[in-house]
Amino acid sequence: MATMADVARSAGVSVATVSHVLNGTRPVLPHTRQAVLDAVDALGYTPNTLARSLVTSRTRSIGLAVSAISNPYFTEILQGVEAAALKAGYSLLIADPHDDPRHERKVAQLLHERRVDGMIVAPSADPSDLVGYLRRHAVPTVFLDRLVDARATEDIAPGDGAAASPDTPCFDQVCAESAAPTALLVTHLAGLGHRRIALVAGLPGLSTTSERVSGYREGLAAAGLAHDERLLVSGHSASAGAERATADLLALPDPPTALVTANNAMTIGALRALRRHGRSVPDDIALCCFDDFAWADLFSPRLTAIAQPSRELGAQAVRVLLDRLGEPDRPARTVRLPCAFVHRTSCGCPEEPVSRTGAAGATASSTLAEKGTAS
């Protein structure tokens, strides 16, 4: 195999110059750079990343731990992470924690043992063991999609070596807005005349669930509607759970006339239940959903939805992690991205020639896109 010294001799430059060209560590004259690249191509030289990691203590790899990789939402996040990592010259090691608090801690340890430079993690509903491990070992980590209050969930005994105090957030986080877009769906349905609007919420304990429940209640209050606890049910973020929860709603003496589902998997479950009980959307019940997906406009009627910027969330998480690697002592930050309201017909509105994004986008964007400290 060709070595860096072989490339240097072929290009007529020093080994140091070859290193600067390949690693981008110092500007090199264009003709010299091209000579090095031509020599690399002619000799078929491949950098020894293992040797380089031994010298730099960096593997230029990122660990990604997200559950339900088959979920289109997380699949698009993965695509955003992969594209941004590749652009920055990093490889990915991917693991599925299965939303299991015990398993996610083991996944984090395995990725850490592979000497990844940092991790991007979509945490479970109870990430205390995970947070404790990451803090003890000072692993640069970005929490993605779901927020974690590290101050409340850490469990570090004296002498564990944690540098930060219990009141100091020590993890960067990247997520989409949840409360305001959910409130928008509720007020939109209320504006169409609905007075009994139900929410099929996600897995208890997740920040996305609590924020969407808060948005649901805010939307009801803004529309002047009373909150009926029977109309707030949990689908546990899964299709089967949402199917059961929707059936329970339909069995009420005074069932809802409109339904909001809190993620795409639960939308599928709700639609199954509605079909099984002979309910037509939107004639018998209006439907709006959180999460847009590629085939949402292929349903009949087409699904009115909140679209999350999933690929950009993944790319932003990589950028935040690289900032952390470049500046380890910088304050932790939470980055929130706005969502878009995709207006179709399942809510009961007539077909529009062009989807509009202003309402939800403007609502979500009213929150600061970036905070200096994790909240």
Side-chain angles (χ1 to χ4, degrees), residues 302-375:
R302 300 165 64 238
L303 298 179
T304 294
I306 294 296
Q308 299 191 76
S310 47
R311 292 195 185 194
E312 178 56 26
L313 284 169
Q316 184 66 46
V318 172
R319 290 193 286 267
V320 170
L321 180 58
L322 295 181
D323 287 346
R324 170 64 54 200
L325 294 175
E327 192 178 345
D329 295 329
R330 67 181 301 157
R333 56 178 172 158
T334 294
V335 178
R336 285 184 176 268
L337 300 182
C339 296
F341 176 59
V342 185
H343 189 200
R344 300 189 180 105
T345 57
S346 65
C347 55
C349 291
E351 188 74 53
E352 289 188 351
V354 179
S355 295
R356 58 189 175 95
T357 60
T363 302
S365 297
S366 63
T367 301
L368 291 178
E370 182 172 315
K371 302 176 183 178
T373 304
S375 57

Side-chain angles (χ1 to χ4, degrees), residues 62-66 74-88 90-94 120 144 310-319 321:
I62 294 171
L64 175 65
V66 295
F74 280 111
T75 300
E76 290 193 6
I77 283 182
L78 171 59
Q79 292 171 349
V81 171
E82 182 181 39
L86 183 62
K87 183 177 180 181
Y90 281 75
S91 59
L92 281 183
L93 276 71
I94 305 171
I120 297 172
L144 174 63
S310 47
R311 292 195 185 194
E312 178 56 26
L313 284 169
Q316 184 66 46
V318 172
R319 290 193 286 267
L321 180 58

